[in-house]
Amino acid sequence: MVTFLMATMRCLREINYSVNQQKRETVRQDAQDVINVQRGLACGGWGLGDRMGSVGHSAVREARRLYCTARAGTFLTDSMTKRKQNKDKTGTASVKNRNPSITARYFEQRGGEILETIRQLVEMESPSDNKEAVDRLGEALAKKFSELGGKVHFHRTAKFGDHLQVDFAARDDRKPVLLLGHMDTVYPIGTLATMPCRVADGRLWGPGTLDMKSGIGLMLHSIEALRARNGESPRSVTVLLVSDEEVGSDSSRHITEELAKKSEAVLVLEPAYGLQGAVKTARKGVGEYSLKVSGIAAHSGLDFKKGQSAILELALQIAKIAEFTDAKRGLTLNVGLVQGGTRVNVVAAEATAAIDVRIVRMKDASGIDRKLRSLRPFNRKCKLEISGGLNRPPMERTAGVAGLYGKATQIAKQLGWRLGEAAVGGGSDGNLTAGLGIPTLDGLGGVGEGAHANHESILISELPRRAALLAELIEAV
Ligand SMILES: [Zn+2]
């Protein structure tokens, strides 16, 4: 009841605003809205939530009404919008409709709804290794996207959650924009018990708030806004939400790459960089290698001399591998895992190391691969086996990436802020699409800190302008 009253009051405030600001036809529409509010038909809540099932496409209609309210003095009724579309089937109508300050105002009114959507998503835990849980989230998202008019398709996988693809068709013939993200998180089921989803200090806290359920929430609301503004999607948009990004994207990689190749550009809704909310225009490439050393086991007391220690050999190799790091080039090697031996009184017959490799430039990949593969044993009685390779190519700041960033900064400027850029060491699926030469802009998601940590949180105040940026960018690309 309280929620309904608040929603009604909010709606009435907007209506007052419209009545004061707009022409006669707007007033007429708003009068109808007042009646709707009294009947509980309008502004009754956030249409993308559970209510959505019973109200059908009214979420989009309601969004459109809000959008029109935001467009003070240039109100378009449904029928006017249709007439405009009929006149211009080439898609230019949508471009004409662009006006970042109206979009900003629209999202300022909807900040609470965006927050509520993200909260719902966070409360559906979705660790990469729990197919059932990720599938549950996938189904809920499929419902939300299809209620916005998207065509849903699941790419079934046996081990991970099914990857979710949603296509929004449009009349214009531009290639689609791919909105890329992931549903999985690094947090096991039950994390919410110790790390509850809550609002405090201007932030939404909880597992996956930043990485990257806020990004998914922004996708939903941007698409809703674009449909509200244009009556349909102003250009074709493909959404891909994979379920295995946090564990290397092995099962989704080919889908991401296929869809990217068909797209004009890729917008990745991974978290922004830092509390200033910079987007990511470069990411290091990531490789993973395994070095296995085989020695000869022996009793450390009786037969010490017969033993050939794999652990000793591995230790020497690790020191050698550390020398391959070239920090100036952004090339780093980290031995992050070592295993070996069986007992303290046995000379170890086996030892292995897992090596994380990061590169800034693709051309460094073959050089480091060659160096690792040409490691030779210090102790000739030990054998080395090296396996692995580059998982994700670097996302380099190509002309295509810079062009996208340029468009984004222009929009941000129109929205009244300066959008920074950052080059980061961590990889994402944006690396895969950028590696194919498709213009990619990453870090368009939530602004916050503590990804993968127990202080993971997003800044609530940033949500409206991030949503506005995304909506405008989808059209502008
Ligand atoms: Zn992520």
Side-chain angles (χ1 to χ4, degrees):
M1 191 60 193
V2 174
T3 320
F4 175 73
L5 277 177
M6 281 169 62
T8 308
M9 283 171 66
R10 191 177 65 233
C11 198
L12 286 172
R13 267 204 311 277
E14 288 157 14
I15 289 163
N16 285 337
Y17 174 78
S18 313
V19 169
N20 293 337
Q21 300 283 321
Q22 295 169 2
K23 291 175 187 165
R24 208 176 287 157
E25 57 198 301
T26 314
V27 176
R28 264 207 315 276
Q29 176 65 40
D30 284 336
Q32 184 59 47
D33 287 334
V34 172
I35 295 164
N36 287 344
V37 169
Q38 285 163 349
R39 288 179 187 158
L41 295 176
C43 289
W46 167 220
L48 287 173
D50 287 334
R51 290 158 165 273
M52 191 67 198
S54 58
V55 294
H57 282 265
S58 72
V60 173
R61 279 201 299 276
E62 169 59 6
R64 180 183 299 181
R65 197 195 64 74
L66 269 183
Y67 205 95
C68 294
T69 308
R71 189 203 295 266
T74 54
F75 186 87
L76 286 179
T77 62
D78 277 16
S79 57
M80 285 167 74
T81 310
K82 273 193 198 106
R83 275 204 302 279
K84 195 172 167 71
Q85 279 162 4
N86 288 341
K87 251 192 251 169
D88 189 351
K89 294 191 177 180
T90 62
T92 50
S94 59
V95 176
K96 281 182 205 149
N97 279 352
R98 279 195 57 218
N99 186 332
S101 61
I102 292 173
T103 308
R105 214 177 309 151
Y106 165 89
F107 281 114
E108 273 155 26
Q109 291 171 351
R110 304 219 87 177
E113 282 90 359
I114 303 174
L115 181 65
E116 173 57 18
T117 301
I118 298 168
R119 190 192 58 73
Q120 286 175 18
L121 301 179
V122 173
E123 292 200 331
M124 300 188 76
E125 293 179 300
S126 54
S128 318
D129 59 0
N130 189 320
K131 177 173 171 59
E132 209 178 294
V134 181
D135 279 344
R136 243 190 329 264
L137 176 62
E139 285 295 341
L141 284 168
K143 186 164 172 267
K144 288 174 191 288
F145 278 112
S146 65
E147 282 161 354
L148 293 175
K151 198 172 128 251
V152 167
H153 172 70
F154 279 108
H155 298 264
R156 306 288 175 192
T157 63
K159 196 171 158 200
F160 300 101
D162 298 330
H163 311 299
L164 173 62
Q165 178 185 340
V166 189
D167 293 293
F168 291 88
R171 285 200 200 118
D172 79 349
D173 49 13
R174 289 181 290 173
K175 282 197 217 167
V177 167
L178 177 61
L179 303 186
L180 186 57
H182 60 90
M183 296 182 278
D184 60 323
T185 71
V186 296
Y187 300 97
I189 294 283
T191 302
L192 280 171
T194 53
M195 204 179 144
C197 184
R198 66 198 170 91
V199 171
D201 307 320
R203 296 185 183 201
L204 181 73
W205 305 76
T209 43
L210 181 62
D211 188 8
M212 55 154 277
K213 299 207 166 154
S214 49
I216 301 175
L218 292 172
M219 286 184 190
L220 282 162
H221 286 273
S222 304
I223 289 170
E224 182 189 47
L226 288 173
R227 291 182 59 82
R229 176 162 71 185
N230 300 284
E232 63 172 8
S233 188
R235 66 170 306 149
S236 44
V237 175
T238 303
V239 172
L240 178 64
L241 294 171
V242 306
S243 62
D244 62 345
E245 196 273 349
E246 297 290 6
V247 289
S249 302
D250 281 350
S251 77
S252 59
R253 179 178 186 147
H254 68 286
I255 305 165
T256 302
E257 291 181 337
E258 269 323 297
L259 292 176
K261 281 184 211 161
K262 292 180 196 156
S263 302
E264 185 75 40
V266 183
L267 305 179
V268 188
L269 274 292
E270 288 280 359
Y273 178 78
L275 291 176
Q276 302 303 317
V279 288
K280 295 164 183 173
T281 51
R283 280 182 179 273
K284 284 189 179 182
V286 189
E288 199 181 313
Y289 288 83
S290 166
L291 174 61
K292 185 177 165 198
V293 182
S294 305
I296 298 170
H299 191 296
S300 63
L302 299 176
D303 281 326
F304 180 77
K305 281 191 171 170
K306 286 187 187 161
Q308 305 297 334
S309 171
I311 289 180
L312 179 58
E313 176 64 29
L314 184 64
L316 296 169
Q317 294 294 342
I318 290 171
K320 178 84 186 159
I321 289 165
E323 288 171 13
F324 297 160
T325 285
D326 183 348
K328 270 194 198 146
R329 287 187 73 75
L331 167 65
T332 60
L333 292 95
N334 177 57
V335 175
L337 273 175
V338 288
Q339 277 176 317
T342 49
R343 286 177 187 281
V344 70
N345 59 355
V346 177
V347 176
E350 279 194 357
T352 57
I355 310 153
D356 173 281
V357 178
R358 307 270 159 162
I359 54 170
V360 169
R361 298 169 194 84
M362 192 59 201
K363 60 182 179 204
D364 287 346
S366 56
I368 195 64
D369 188 81
R370 202 168 43 245
K371 276 187 178 172
L372 286 168
R373 288 184 195 282
S374 38
L375 287 171
R376 294 292 170 259
F378 290 89
N379 174 353
R380 290 202 182 151
K381 288 180 178 155
C382 286
K383 270 194 275 175
L384 305 184
E385 272 173 69
I386 186 112
S387 58
L390 197 68
N391 284 346
R392 288 179 171 135
M395 173 180 162
E396 298 187 53
R397 196 185 187 281
T398 59
V401 171
L404 269 184
Y405 173 62
K407 282 181 182 158
T409 48
Q410 229 178 333
I411 292 165
K413 200 172 162 199
Q414 289 167 323
L415 293 169
W417 104 95
R418 206 192 140 272
L419 179 67
E421 67 176 316
V424 296
S428 86
D429 285 345
N431 291 55
L432 304 178
T433 61
L436 294 170
I438 315 298
T440 299
L441 193 61
D442 203 337
L444 284 162
V447 181
E449 59 187 341
H452 299 195
N454 58 12
H455 62 296
E456 182 162 346
S457 54
I458 52 162
L459 303 180
I460 294 168
S461 60
E462 287 285 337
L463 291 172
R465 70 180 189 183
R466 301 302 285 193
L469 172 65
L470 179 61
E472 291 292 322
L473 198 52
I474 289 171
E475 276 205 71
V477 165

